[in-house]
Amino acid sequence: MVDPAHPVGHHACMLSIQDVTYRLGDRLLLDSASLTVRDGARIGLVGRNGTGKSTLFRMILGEIGAEQGRIDLRRDARIGTVAQEAPGGPQTLIDFVLDADTERASLLAEAETATDPARIADIQTRLVDIDAASAPARAARILAGLGFDEDAQSRTLETYSGGWRMRVALAAILFAEPDLLLLDEPTNYLDLEGALWLESYLGRYPHTLIVISHDRDLLNTATTEIAHLHARTLTLYRGGYDSFERQRAEKLALTAKLQKKQDAQRKHMEAFVERFRYKASKARQAQSRLKALERMAPVAAIEGETEARIDLPDPERPLSPPIIHISKGAVGYAPGAPVLRELDIRIDHDDRIGLLGANGNGKSTFAKLLNGGLTLETGNMVVAEKLRVGFFAQHQLDELVPEQSPVEHVRKLMGDTGEAKVRARVAQMGFTIEKADTKAAKLSGGEKARLMLGLAAFHKPHLLILDEPTNHLDMDARDALVTALNAYSGAVIVISHDRHLIETTCDRLWLVADGAVRPYEGDIDSYRREVTGVGPKSKSARKAEKPAVTDHTTDLDSKAGSSGQSTAARLKALEAQMNKLHAGIEKLDVSLSDPTLFAKTPARGVELSKLRADAEKLLAKVEQEWLDLSERLEA
């Protein structure tokens, strides 16, 4: 429990977690877990979904108590977190954020009624000390960073949806600057622009920060230490998330090596004892080895984590490009009020496109148009015959039937197919036998997301549109999604605040802004500089008046007007795709090199082998296209 009677030292330590044990029902979440958080530390708390990260936060906040152990906070430390309930009411956004600094709000209220000259002087002095005059400007900057312009900041909370109001709650706690800031998946309600801004802001946070996140870029940018909650204990690693992954891999390899060495020593000693224990001249040595065997403590194995699995079946037959072509299109929700105008878009059968642009600019509208949920108000849209589109969006999680299991959801799509095939398909989505029969209402957010992804890709679509697919996925599941998308041979359009997902799966970026969709000529790093206001803007941002005309060239003969520049762009995209495939194959090789893989999990070994073969096949195809284009360009 949090014990204010035993505060930790003021200077060196902000928080001390000592030998904490906690059970949730009959399940042991924490077992003698310990962690020391120094004052000013910025820590990322990571671990698989369901390991107890949010529960640990509730214990630090004093909402629940530990079964054993203690949690001590620095004396007089202000602790803050984002409330789970979205704020509401008639208060304006800027006033709500300003009120989060309770000392400033209290002093200003008292200043209105104070009559004692000495007290008035004290109030004004303290207001100067806390820089109260600059507070409105600082609150406005935070709100702007999270997507609220000056006009939006003066609107009331009740005029916004729950997701936007959660952003306001985040802005308020950032403005309050508590001594210990606890953030639980803070990017879940943000778009990419807000996530990039938050990365930069938290990287400069002046006090102690602990953040639960599965966003590796946020963890690499904003944290300097990683606390790993695994096997019911906490282990602290120095550095960001990439450094943590390297250190943990080295630790796993070293443990396996030590186990192997100790097993060899044990077998050698046992063989000696067995051979000489009854031989008088060797009896003493045999007895010595018996005692050594008894004293030999086994090297504790690091408990492995079962890999997440996501399978995206390839289209049965690729369609001739383009699969979608839009010219001079306009689309919206009300006649005469288009959200997007002058759309000139071409999508080919193997495109990998990441959509950029702040929420509210039309990314979801564009996705609905491509999915058939909206029709053009003006212009022309040609769709390839027999085109199948798979669509995933976060709001679809609510469309799952709560009382039905994954097996029942899949059975509805498979008609009279036998039970064995239905369950095999559910297993391909990554569900164990137990989870396959669990009602949707009792599945975790990540499990629901994996089910919806599986359902979206069920009919082997030619185009897969993913709108924020990673919100409820842990790090392993996100990596599995990256692997699945890179192995998938159809076209992909991704809307995500997960920078890593876009960088590793998309070879082109489109910017949705100012009522248009146009190619973005920079990369995510240049886009981040634009969003955070650091560094020069890209050519795309400077040419905002030009609508999108894609030069993406797959078949030169079918695009007689294509320029050498468009071919060069395609070559560059193919090179990027080859690099990603090489990296994916290397990662699979590392997993397949594990000598225990086929012994412990033969099905997983077969699956990884198939993934590698598919990746090799795709790589050969991409390399051949690159060679063909290179020869034509030279000619």
Side-chain angles (χ1 to χ4, degrees), residues 1-8 13-22 30 33-35 37 55-74 79 180 182 210 234:
M1 60 184 296
V2 179
D3 191 349
H6 295 84
V8 298
C13 185
M14 168 61 70
L15 171 71
S16 176
I17 299 171
Q18 304 171 36
D19 299 320
V20 166
T21 296
Y22 183 82
L30 299 170
S34 297
L35 179 69
V37 179
T55 298
L56 182 60
F57 265 20
R58 292 186 63 201
M59 295 172 72
I60 295 171
L61 290 164
E63 296 175 1
I64 55 177
E67 181 181 314
Q68 294 177 4
R70 60 185 305 116
I71 297 177
D72 298 325
L73 280 169
R74 193 192 74 187
I79 184 169
L180 174 59
L182 304 179
I210 306 178
L234 287 161

Side-chain angles (χ1 to χ4, degrees), residues 380-402:
N380 187 44
M381 179 173 173
V382 179
V383 177
E385 189 178 355
K386 297 182 180 179
L387 175 69
R388 290 193 298 272
V389 179
F391 183 73
F392 171 91
Q394 281 299 316
H395 65 80
Q396 290 177 318
L397 301 187
D398 297 330
E399 297 174 9
L400 293 171
V401 181

